[in-house]
Structures are given as C-alpha cells and as structure tokens.
Amino acid sequence: MKQSLRRLERRWRITHSESDRTRVRAQCRAYQVAIATVKKTFFTASLASAENSSRRLFQVVRNLAEPPATSGPSRGHMISCNDFAKFFADKVGQIREEVDSTMGARPGRESARVLSSQVVWDQFQSVTPEDVDRLLGRVKPTTCLLDPCPSWLIKASREGLGDGLRGVVNASLHEGAFPDPLKEAVIKPLLKKPSLDAAMIANYRPVSNLPFLGKVIERVVAEQLQARLEEADHLDPFQSGFRPHHGTETALVALVDDLWRARDKGESCFLVLLDLSAAFDTIDHNILLDRLEGLGAGGTVIQWFRSFLLGRVQKVVVGDECSDPWALTCGVPQGSVLSPMLFNIYMKPLGEIIRGFGLGVHQYADDTQLYLSFKSEPVKAVKVLCECLEAVGGWMAANRLRLNPDKTEVLFLGDRRRADVEDSLVLNGVTVPLKDQVRSLGVILDSQLSMEAQVKSVSRAAVYQLHLVRRLRPYLPANCLARVVHALVISRLDYCNALYVGLPLKVTRKLQLIQNAAARLVTGSGCRDHITPVLKDLHWLPVRFRAQFKVLVLTFKALNGLGPVYLKERLHPHRSTRTLRSSTEGLLVVPSLREAKLQGAFSVVAPSLWNTLPPDVKENNNYQAFRRHLKAALFR
C-alpha cells in the first residue's frame, strides 16, 4: 500500500490534476486505517500474552509506548563475559574476606546450630501423576538457555511426559540427590537502573536463569518444606517474606500501627532500616544445613538439600558470548523456588536477638525494620540501640553476612529538640545521620507519619503511567484498555492504601483526581461529566472507600486465619458482662486514644470499621463472598 501511495503522489506532482489528488487522499486514508488496524491487532496480541502477569503487562505497555533502551551490556561498552564473571565472583569473595577479618576466626558449626525439634523429617513423600499435572499447570513457563526444549512445550505435552517427569522427580527425592545437569545457572547482567552508566561494571546486577526441570523438582520439595515449617511453627512470627498470607502490606500495616501506638503514648521512636550486602549470595552452606537439621531434617532429606546446595556452577551470557563457568562455594541460587524459603530459615535467629534488647522488628526477606520507642532518657535509648546493632552485626558476621552501614537508614519520630536527640548517631561504629524520610518496602515514611511524601510519589508515578496508556488508547480495545489501566494505574493507588485511612482530604485528593482521570480514559467520558456515575458504571470504589475496603479485607483475613498472627493479635472480640443483642454481632474492641488524629492506626481503624458493617456481611465465612458483599455495602 505504501508503494502504491508513493506512486500516486509522484503522478499527482506531475499532472497536478484534481482527480489524481483525490486518489492520493483516498489512498492515504486507506493506508492510515490499515496501519491503525495492524497496530491494534499487534497490541491486542501483545497484551493477551501478558494477561496473567502484571509485571509482564507493565513491560509490554512500557515497550509499546516507549521503545526500550538497552538495559544490558552491548558490544560497544567493551565489557566481556569473563569480566562480568570475575566481578560477580570477586564481589562475593571480598564480602566473605571482610567478614572473616571482622570475626578474626571462622565460627564453629555449633555457634549457628538451632535446637532440633522432636519430630524427625527423614524422607520425602513420593509424587503422584496428579501432583505432577498440578505442578506443571502452576509453574511459570520460563525457558532457560540450558533447556533442551521450550518449557511451554513441556507444559502442553504434560499428558505424555507426566510419567517420565514423575520418575525423575521421585528418583531425586528417594535417592537424596539433585541432578548435576540441573545445577548450572545462566547469569545475565542487568543494569540496576536505566539512568546508570552502562560502561560501569559496578552498575550491573546478576540475574540468574535456571533449568525448567530443576524448578519442577524444587516446587515439589518446597511444598513439603512449607508443610514442615507450618507443622513445627519454625519461622519467626514477624518474618513476612515469601510466606502464605503474608506480604509487604501486612508488614507495613503492623509497623506503622506500632509507630502510631507509641506516638499515642507520648513516646518517641527510632526506626532503623538495615541493609545487607548480597545476602542471598553469601549464605554459608554448613550453617544453613545446621539450621535444616534444627528443623528436624535428616536421612535422605538432609542429603537432598546438601546435594542441592553443593556443586553448583554458573556462567555469564551476553548476546552470543559465554564466559567460563565458575563454581559457587556459598549462597543460594537466586531465581530458584527454594531459595527464599531457605533464606527465611537461615535468618530466623535474627529476630530473637533484636527482641532480646526490647526492640520491635518486622522483616521481609533480607529487609529488616527494627524500632525502639522511649518516653524519656534518650541517651539510654541510644545506648540500647547501639548495643542491639552491635549484637546484630556480630550475629551477621558469625553467619557470614555483611551489614552495609552506608545504606542503613535511621528515622526519628518525635521532636528532636524536646527529646534532646542529635542530628546523627554512631551506630555500630559508623556515623549514621538521621533522615527526614525513609523508604521502607516501597512506602515513604516521614517523621510525622503524614504520608504526604508517599502520596506525592505515588501520584507522580501514576500520572506517568496514565500518560503512557493514553498514548496507546487509539489502538487498544475497550477490554484491553480497562485491564491495562487497572494493572498500571489503579494498582499503584491500591498498594498499601490501608495506610491512607484517616488522612486529611487535602492529601488523598491527589489520588482521587488520578482515579477520576483513569475512569474517564477507560469510559471516554468528558472532563465536565459527573464522575460518580462513571465510577459506579466501572464498579470502582472511590479512593477513600478503597482504603477502607483494604483494611476490612485484612481484618477478615486476620480473624479467619488467612492473615499473619501479628495482625490477629491486634484485634480483640468485644465481650460484655451482660447479655445484650450486640453480643452476637461479632463486634471488636476499639482502643481508646489520647489524640484524635491517630485514628489511622490499624488497631483502631480496623475495629471501628468492622463494627459498622451490616451483620450479613460479617457473617460470611467465605473470602470471595465476603469481598462481594463488602463491596456492595460500601457502594450503598
């Protein structure tokens, strides 16, 4: 069509006739319609490929709206695969040497041992054909360069390959050995941030890719390991990383609630965010095996974990070039199914050490938030905090981990002058300045817990995403447009929005305006159209009610065993000394507050909102039914 258009244009420039000009304009319009149709088909197919993954959907939309810059190294940067391999290996080796020099001597095995429980876990359960079919249906079809065939083909052919895969998995479990060909990983260097200099090797982080069959075996072991952890109640109760019914939102809600309650008591707080250097890559295998033995593992189970950890190799791949493989003597493979669970087991004693000094702690994998509240004697509080951090640093050194003081952040909540707190503190031998705000698990916290900086950051990111989606709107079908807006814009407004309950209207109004713009983009409504009917047609709750919806969902989960224990402990059923009609309504105790502005605390706002729900909503025991009835109640 383009050649025909150019031919008509050349003819019209020669003849200058009106008929040729009409033909050019008609051909131009047909060409534009064809381009728009092809774009729409391509965009629809691209979005359909990412239908079940918000992360993939974000990447697709970002690539369609803005062609991606090179995120990996190119030939022009003159960084070879072997240079990357040497840098990644030397970084881990340097951390280990620094830790060893800090300790002066290598710790013995007994120093890291955890007392064994009474139950002994000495063998794995065999998998059935139904188990294999279920696992293959759930595992993501990520293909590694080392796989002999694409993973999607294995998933599509699982009926014919099921018996063979079951034989491989059961042989690995019964013999206590992880297959050697599956221990190799492919590393691809990736820029930490797009704005960093691509010629600096220190700006890259390793991203590993593991064989598909190895992940299937790992998932079988992970299910049985999770059952053992739940049976023994082994993990730290305040560890929220990679655990069922836990997440960053539950950890942040509990953390902010503790800070609010301390403030209500007239106390000041130190909030310390610890940072570890290459935590997953420096785990000591012997100590980790000791922790597994402390869990009750033995026999072929501990043999299998030892085989899984030892003898691993990896190599760096950039384009068509490949580095020489090198052996891994420590660490757990990032990108594997088991690594997060093994890391949680490895880090279990840390929370006990911190609480031993009277501090509170919340963890999400290697992100640790510890806090100390005090009403008087700030010098004594600083001394306790320093002693705690010194003990934390000693434990990490004994367990071959390194605390990074340069990235450790401290936030003081309270009046510094009234509490006589300096602008900087010496923590564990390193001077750490007090900051006006810190970012914890993606949420910006300030010294007044006003959440204004967080709302501003979310608004900026959501507006940018809305701008990208608006550029793609002419080529997106209505159903695709709604899905993209929800995944890229609304999801940002919803993240940790339980912390927005009780905020002033001037703070949340920014978020409401963004939701209004998103609703108008999806429906095609004009800027002068009333927004309430538009939101009702989309079945979108306004921002204020979305925050209440999140709090009530967390409350339901906590009360019904679908949430963390540390949230359930903040909710107490109301018990009257007399028999009243309200005794059967499932009411919760609302704590009293000294300051009315602290009503954003979860332990206060959750019972308050729960008690206002209609009885038919609170009586639902099914999670999905509760969500439906709750949303209908909030729309009334």
Side-chain angles (χ1 to χ4, degrees):
M1 293 185 68
K2 191 173 183 179
Q3 291 180 351
S4 176
L5 176 62
R6 294 292 179 261
R7 186 167 53 251
L8 291 174
E9 286 179 347
R10 288 194 297 269
R11 181 176 178 180
W12 173 66
R13 289 191 181 97
I14 296 174
T15 62
H16 296 286
S17 66
E18 189 64 27
S19 60
D20 289 338
R21 181 173 178 270
T22 303
R23 293 191 189 96
V24 169
R25 295 180 65 182
Q27 184 68 15
C28 185
R29 285 193 296 267
Y31 178 72
Q32 292 175 350
V33 170
I35 290 294
T37 303
V38 172
K39 279 187 176 182
K40 192 171 185 178
T41 303
F42 174 72
F43 288 172
T44 303
S46 300
L47 294 172
S49 66
E51 183 175 3
N52 298 323
S53 173
S54 297
R55 178 181 300 179
R56 173 64 181 156
L57 185 61
F58 169 78
Q59 293 175 347
V60 168
V61 173
R62 185 74 177 268
N63 293 341
L64 292 177
E66 294 182 352
T70 304
S71 59
S74 63
R75 295 181 182 272
H77 296 141
M78 303 299 292
I79 305 178
S80 67
C81 293
N82 287 321
D83 290 338
F84 276 114
K86 185 177 184 302
F87 171 75
F88 294 144
D90 290 347
K91 180 180 179 180
V92 175
Q94 182 181 0
I95 293 176
R96 302 274 288 187
E97 290 179 2
E98 292 179 1
V99 171
D100 289 343
S101 63
T102 301
M103 291 300 297
R106 188 170 180 173
R109 287 172 57 88
E110 294 297 324
S111 64
R113 185 176 292 275
V114 178
L115 294 178
S116 176
S117 57
Q118 301 256 332
V119 181
V120 176
W121 182 32
D122 58 356
Q123 61 181 359
F124 292 107
Q125 296 179 358
S126 300
V127 296
T128 63
E130 292 78 13
D131 294 333
V132 174
D133 185 74
R134 175 176 54 83
L135 289 171
L136 288 178
R138 291 173 52 189
V139 70
K140 295 181 180 179
T142 54
T143 300
C144 176
L145 294 176
L146 304 175
D147 289 332
C149 64
S151 56
W152 63 265
L153 182 59
I154 297 178
K155 287 171 64 70
S157 308
R158 59 178 181 264
E159 293 183 1
L161 299 176
D163 291 338
L165 290 175
R166 181 169 61 92
V168 173
V169 173
N170 284 333
S172 174
L173 300 181
H174 295 160
E175 296 175 8
F178 191 75
D180 289 338
L182 304 180
K183 295 183 181 181
E184 186 174 2
V186 173
I187 303 296
K188 292 187 176 181
L190 188 68
L191 269 177
K192 297 177 181 178
K193 294 181 180 179
S195 58
L196 296 178
D197 185 5
M200 295 287 294
I201 195 171
N203 292 335
Y204 290 87
R205 59 183 176 91
V207 177
S208 60
N209 200 356
L210 302 170
F212 179 76
L213 180 57
K215 290 187 176 181
V216 174
I217 300 176
E218 286 185 54
R219 190 168 290 276
V220 173
V221 175
E223 289 187 352
Q224 301 189 30
L225 176 59
Q226 182 63 40
R228 173 69 188 125
L229 291 173
E230 293 177 357
E231 178 186 356
D233 194 19
H234 184 77
L235 293 179
D236 189 283
F238 296 95
Q239 171 61 265
S240 302
F242 312 106
R243 298 179 63 184
H245 311 312
H246 293 65
T248 56
E249 288 193 84
T250 59
L252 283 167
V253 165
L255 172 64
V256 173
D257 182 65
D258 289 339
L259 298 177
W260 273 123
R261 293 198 295 182
R263 183 174 176 180
D264 184 59
K265 297 176 184 177
E267 298 176 344
S268 301
C269 286
F270 283 108
L271 173 62
V272 183
L273 309 183
L274 301 180
D275 183 81
L276 300 180
S277 299
F280 279 75
D281 297 328
T282 55
I283 285 179
D284 186 89
H285 292 161
N286 291 330
I287 297 177
L288 177 56
L289 291 172
D290 279 345
R291 299 269 158 80
L292 289 169
E293 290 177 1
L295 180 60
T300 55
V301 172
I302 200 67
Q303 275 185 348
W304 189 94
F305 280 110
R306 183 176 289 107
S307 174
F308 174 78
L309 294 171
L310 304 180
R312 285 192 167 272
V313 296
Q314 60 186 18
K315 57 185 178 181
V316 176
V317 173
V318 177
D320 298 331
E321 299 180 356
C322 178
S323 71
D324 300 328
W326 76 94
L328 298 179
T329 58
C330 61
V332 290
Q334 295 195 45
S336 75
V337 178
L338 276 172
S339 292
M341 302 176 68
L342 295 177
F343 186 81
N344 285 348
I345 295 173
Y346 195 85
M347 296 290 289
K348 179 183 183 296
L350 179 59
E352 300 172 357
I353 292 175
I354 295 174
R355 288 189 292 272
F357 286 87
L359 277 73
V361 60
H362 284 282
Q363 297 173 273
Y364 188 88
D366 60 337
D367 290 316
T368 303
Q369 298 90 19
L370 57 92
Y371 50 95
L372 173 64
S373 58
F374 61 95
K375 183 172 290 187
S376 59
E377 299 183 0
V379 176
K380 183 179 179 181
V382 172
K383 181 180 178 182
V384 172
L385 185 59
C386 292
E387 292 175 353
C388 177
L389 289 175
E390 184 177 357
V392 168
W395 180 87
M396 289 189 177
N399 287 269
R400 316 299 294 276
L401 300 173
R402 189 182 73 172
L403 184 64
N404 189 350
D406 295 332
K407 293 185 179 181
T408 296
E409 298 180 316
V410 181
L411 176 68
F412 180 76
L413 296 96
D415 190 341
R416 294 188 192 179
R417 291 175 296 180
R418 181 169 58 87
D420 193 22
V421 176
E422 301 293 336
D423 292 335
S424 62
L425 298 174
V426 179
L427 302 178
N428 202 22
V430 178
T431 301
V432 181
L434 299 181
K435 294 196 172 183
D436 295 328
Q437 59 186 35
V438 296
R439 184 182 292 273
S440 176
L441 300 177
V443 172
I444 300 176
L445 302 176
D446 57 73
S447 58
Q448 301 299 322
L449 296 178
S450 66
M451 305 302 296
E452 292 184 6
Q454 168 66 11
V455 170
K456 184 177 180 181
S457 175
V458 170
S459 302
R460 187 187 305 113
V463 167
Y464 176 71
Q465 297 300 326
L466 200 61
H467 171 69
L468 293 183
V469 177
R470 187 174 283 112
R471 293 174 57 186
L472 298 176
R473 181 187 175 187
Y475 313 108
L476 295 177
N479 58 338
C480 289
L481 178 61
R483 190 167 70 246
V484 168
V485 169
H486 190 83
L488 301 185
V489 181
I490 304 301
S491 62
R492 294 179 182 273
L493 305 183
D494 287 345
Y495 178 66
C496 280
N497 59 346
L499 304 179
Y500 302 157
V501 176
L503 293 182
L505 180 61
K506 66 176 183 178
V507 178
T508 58
R509 185 173 182 272
K510 298 178 182 179
L511 303 179
Q512 186 60 60
L513 292 176
I514 294 173
Q515 187 193 39
N516 295 349
R520 290 190 170 98
L521 177 64
V522 172
T523 60
S525 304
C527 61
R528 297 183 179 275
D529 295 337
H530 200 281
I531 195 60
T532 300
V534 177
L535 294 178
K536 284 188 176 181
D537 290 342
L538 291 172
H539 212 57
W540 287 5
L541 289 169
V543 168
R544 181 168 64 94
F545 292 103
R546 296 180 83 90
Q548 296 179 8
F549 180 85
K550 178 67 70 62
V551 170
L552 290 169
V553 166
L554 291 176
T555 305
F556 175 86
K557 288 183 175 181
L559 295 175
N560 290 272
L562 300 176
V565 176
Y566 55 73
L567 286 186
K568 185 176 182 179
E569 292 174 346
R570 301 164 195 271
L571 306 172
H572 306 284
H574 176 74
R575 291 183 175 87
S576 177
T577 56
R578 297 179 299 164
T579 302
L580 303 173
R581 285 181 297 176
S582 60
S583 302
T584 60
E585 294 182 1
L587 301 179
L588 299 176
V589 177
V590 181
S592 58
L593 290 176
R594 295 173 53 191
E595 299 184 37
K597 63 181 180 181
L598 302 184
Q599 292 183 358
F602 176 81
S603 58
V604 177
V605 70
S608 301
L609 293 175
W610 182 266
N611 293 343
T612 60
L613 288 179
D616 60 315
V617 177
K618 291 187 288 189
E619 290 172 358
N620 283 285
N621 294 324
N622 181 271
Y623 173 62
Q624 295 299 334
F626 173 79
R627 287 177 60 95
R628 290 195 301 270
H629 287 81
L630 174 60
K631 194 170 186 179
L634 292 177
F635 262 116
R636 294 170 189 166

